[in-house]
Amino acid sequence: MTKLSVRLPGYERSMVLWGKRIGVAVAYGTLVGLVSRLWEDTWSDSLTFGISMAVVMLGVALAMDIRKRAGKD
């Protein structure tokens, strides 16, 4: 991982973090969709399942972020 030489303000750090979360969610959704397709599901089912899993991952990340900001670790 590349370390930035400059300290980022809070909102920029949050943007980088959410960029990473979105990247991981897209990668996971793609993997789930491909595995679903290998099980001989239709393309439509595989695409829907992959997108659903990516949205669930982002929802969990958002909920964890909200709880962290509220001080309820």
Side-chain angles (χ1 to χ4, degrees):
M1 179 184 293
T2 305
K3 296 288 183 182
L4 297 173
S5 60
V6 194
R7 191 105 173 117
L8 295 174
Y11 68 92
E12 287 182 2
R13 183 178 307 147
S14 178
M15 288 173 54
V16 169
L17 179 62
W18 276 102
K20 290 178 183 179
R21 288 175 178 169
I22 290 171
V24 168
V26 168
Y28 183 72
T30 303
L31 176 68
V32 168
L34 289 175
V35 169
S36 175
R37 182 65 185 141
L38 290 175
W39 285 335
E40 299 181 5
D41 287 344
T42 63
W43 281 106
S44 176
D45 291 341
S46 299
L47 185 63
T48 302
F49 190 56
I51 291 171
S52 299
M53 294 311 296
V55 168
V56 166
M57 282 188 69
L58 289 174
V60 169
L62 178 63
M64 288 173 33
D65 193 39
I66 290 171
R67 285 184 57 87
K68 183 178 178 183
R69 288 178 190 226
K72 297 180 180 178
D73 288 332

